[in-house]
Amino acid sequence: MRTKIIAGNWKMNKTASEAAALIEEIRAELEGVIGVEVVVCPPAVALKDAAAAVKGSAIGLGAQNVHWDESGAFTGEISAAMLKDLGVKYVIIGHSERRQYFGETNETVHKRTKAALAAGLTPLVCVGETLEERDSGQMESVVTKQIREGLADLGDDFTRIVVAYEPVWAIGTGRTATPAQAQEAHALIRRTLAEISSGDMANTVRIQYGGSMKPDNAVELLSQPDIDGGLIGGAALQAASFAAIVKAGVSLDAGFRVQRPAGS
Ligand code: PGA
């Protein structure tokens, strides 16, 4: 069974002290809640304080980007070793905002993913089509290309990746993909993952949905067979709504276990 993973992508929100305060609130909301992997991804300058704030909890710390080189003349970039030194365990790679505004390509996504895996970080690799691409029937070709190029040649590390399907038209717009639309894309992603990996690897990879996931649509989305979690933007900036989404994942997970025959 794939453990659900709910991650908050805080984007360019929260100062270091605000980040620490929000984590304190999330900790309080999630007291005693188990069964879902929970991650928060504050801005880079807040990571040190955030690391102190998650200490002693099950909340994992993630960054929003990582460079592929170990060090050197790359103004404004941050290496995997620098992130690890702060206690970071996860990193978002290839978010559509980075693709759209900062020149991120499938090739740079691939290099960042390789570097993250080599350093022992868990990459949350984002893929997804724009509205124009969906409306012109290109969703499948765009998403499969992002997967094939961004996640090529990962070898045994393949099982350590997490993929986030984020249709660009659903991000920050309040317009969520329907559970059926999301499931269709997730199934396509899993088929593509199977084509570029060996054995049963693709069935172990978690695929998160992202794009206006909120407490009131989380259960429906998270109950789809190929949706293994969420990458949450706006709703991750309030402890109550973020925790409600985590709890939606927990309740489904528990239900699933209860329904399974003993020993299976
Ligand atoms: P949203 O953002 O939940 O605000 O739509 C999701 C994301 O961009 O990761």
Side-chain angles (χ1 to χ4, degrees):
M1 199 182 86
R2 298 183 292 265
T3 302
K4 288 205 166 37
I5 174 166
I6 304 289
N9 173 12
W10 294 8
K11 309 191 179 185
M12 196 173 74
N13 294 292
K14 305 294 175 189
T15 62
S17 53
E18 288 167 351
L22 178 54
I23 289 168
E24 286 307 325
E25 286 180 49
I26 293 170
R27 282 184 72 153
E29 292 273 353
L30 292 180
E31 183 80 52
V33 174
I34 52 165
V36 167
E37 210 168 307
V38 179
V39 181
V40 292
C41 305
V45 292
L47 287 170
K48 191 165 190 227
D49 291 57
V54 298
K55 218 177 171 125
S57 78
I59 300 172
L61 187 60
Q64 298 177 15
N65 196 12
V66 63
H67 195 262
W68 50 85
D69 252 302
E70 283 172 21
S71 62
F74 301 102
T75 303
E77 291 286 326
I78 299 171
S79 74
M82 293 170 187
L83 295 176
K84 287 199 69 178
D85 183 56
L86 291 178
V88 170
K89 301 267 188 320
Y90 303 80
V91 59
I92 298 170
I93 294 174
H95 190 278
S96 66
E97 287 148 17
R98 297 219 55 88
R99 293 179 189 260
Q100 195 178 345
Y101 307 129
F102 303 102
E104 190 82 71
T105 64
N106 292 339
E107 191 193 344
T108 54
V109 166
H110 185 232
K111 286 158 89 168
R112 294 186 203 279
T113 302
K114 286 271 229 190
L117 287 167
L121 295 169
T122 297
L124 313 179
V125 184
C126 304
V127 299
E129 80 289 357
T130 63
L131 187 58
E132 209 180 13
E133 289 162 345
R134 173 166 281 260
D135 287 347
S136 58
Q138 294 177 76
M139 183 277 268
E140 186 162 338
S141 61
V142 168
V143 171
T144 52
K145 192 170 184 325
Q146 288 171 335
I147 296 280
R148 286 180 174 282
E149 295 181 1
L151 302 177
D153 305 322
L154 300 183
D156 288 345
D157 286 335
F158 193 85
T159 54
R160 293 179 32 227
I161 56 170
V162 174
V163 176
Y165 171 62
E166 299 207 311
V168 179
W169 46 274
I171 295 176
T173 58
R175 196 179 147 187
T176 323
T178 63
Q181 281 174 324
Q183 167 56 27
E184 188 192 1
H186 281 233
L188 166 72
I189 290 168
R190 200 172 305 285
R191 283 199 300 278
T192 312
L193 292 174
E195 284 165 20
I196 61 167
S197 62
S198 51
D200 199 38
M201 281 179 162
N203 277 328
T204 65
V205 172
R206 272 94 53 89
I207 308 174
Q208 300 173 301
Y209 170 80
S212 299
M213 193 187 267
K214 304 270 185 285
D216 60 3
N217 59 26
V219 168
E220 234 191 329
L221 287 161
L222 293 171
S223 54
Q224 299 301 309
D226 284 295
I227 300 186
D228 309 310
L231 184 55
I232 322 298
L237 296 173
Q238 275 99 39
S241 49
F242 184 64
I245 295 172
V246 171
K247 287 172 190 168
V250 173
S251 65
L252 289 164
D253 196 27
F256 182 70
R257 271 201 209 122
V258 169
Q259 281 159 26
R260 273 164 77 102
S264 72

